[in-house]
Amino acid sequence: MYKRIFALILLLILVGIVIANVLVDRTDDTAEGEEEEAELVDDGSSSQGAGIAPAESAGIEPGEPAPDFELETLEGESFRLSDLQGQKVILNFWYSWCPPCIEEMPEIQDFYEDYQDEVEVVAVNMTQHENQLSDVGDFIDENEHTFTVPLDKDNSLSEPYVVYAAPTTYFIGTDGTIQQPRRIGPMDYEFMEEMVQEMD
């Protein structure tokens, strides 16, 4: 009698161990799958900000014209990209709580202060990603950024510029065409300098 009870308890313990091992293996597999997916596509919430996009989201290629647009700036003025024809333009897409955007903004400001006679910096705020509109102005004021900040309130530029992660940056030449490969992820001063020096 006692032997049967002991054998039954031992059997239940062994079954429990097997079930526990199966569950642990499944959890590990799920975690690995999520980790791989996170490495392939980044929405800009990590400190790196860069990602690998599907082939259909390759962006505007060098040599293609930059789509024109008109947006209201943070100051309430009308901004049209085509008004900058004849100037080199760094066109950046960002939002205020995006870590890699926050990382690159001081670099963009330093670059702009040194090169504003040669290059126009346009930092389009992806306003639909903001918690509230006032966050944009607060961020710009607190950090004393002086470049142009148009507000894409209805997300109208994400499709034509294929913006799927922030920050995303395009380099537009004096002829209004894209002249460098699109940059996804934060930039530093030296990178911008190198890109602009190779532009017409």
Side-chain angles (χ1 to χ4, degrees):
M1 172 92 176
Y2 290 116
K3 287 183 181 178
R4 285 186 183 177
I5 292 173
F6 180 76
L8 184 60
I9 290 172
L10 186 60
L11 182 63
L12 289 173
I13 290 171
L14 291 174
V15 169
I17 290 171
V18 170
I19 291 172
N21 284 335
V22 168
L23 290 175
V24 167
D25 286 344
R26 284 188 183 172
T27 303
D28 288 346
D29 289 345
T30 302
E32 285 175 15
E34 288 174 356
E35 198 171 296
E36 287 173 11
E37 189 174 323
E39 289 172 4
L40 291 177
V41 178
D42 189 326
D43 64 359
S45 61
S46 77
S47 61
Q48 296 302 314
I52 299 170
E56 63 271 16
S57 62
I60 306 168
E61 297 292 335
E64 296 180 3
D68 194 18
F69 61 85
E70 184 172 358
L71 296 174
E72 183 180 321
T73 66
L74 196 53
E75 294 77 25
E77 300 172 356
S78 178
F79 171 84
R80 185 186 296 271
L81 180 64
S82 56
D83 289 344
L84 299 179
Q85 186 87 18
Q87 299 179 57
K88 296 178 183 179
V89 178
I90 294 178
L91 180 63
N92 178 264
F93 293 88
W94 70 285
Y95 49 92
S96 66
W97 54 270
C98 149
C101 302
I102 294 168
E103 177 187 334
E104 76 173 355
M105 280 296 188
E107 299 279 331
I108 293 175
Q109 180 61 36
D110 289 346
F111 179 85
Y112 181 63
E113 288 174 5
D114 291 344
Y115 284 93
Q116 59 187 307
D117 292 337
E118 301 173 42
V119 184
E120 187 64 38
V121 172
V122 179
V124 176
N125 177 260
M126 301 165 70
T127 313
Q128 284 196 340
H129 294 282
E130 299 289 353
N131 293 319
Q132 52 192 13
L133 181 58
S134 60
D135 291 346
V136 185
D138 291 345
F139 179 87
I140 294 297
D141 291 344
E142 286 169 15
N143 295 285
E144 300 180 345
H145 296 313
T146 56
F147 38 76
T148 303
V149 181
L151 305 172
D152 188 7
K153 294 179 181 177
D154 60 1
N155 205 31
S156 62
L157 298 185
S158 289
E159 186 175 333
Y161 279 93
V162 198
V163 179
Y164 72 91
T168 292
T169 306
Y170 283 96
F171 301 89
I172 304 169
T174 56
D175 61 355
T177 65
I178 304 299
Q179 292 200 353
Q180 297 288 0
R182 174 184 62 174
R183 168 76 174 195
I184 299 174
M187 303 179 291
D188 60 23
Y189 186 102
E190 290 74 21
F191 177 80
M192 288 180 277
E193 200 170 40
E194 181 183 334
M195 292 296 101
V196 168
Q197 284 173 355
E198 296 175 2
M199 291 164 57
D200 298 326

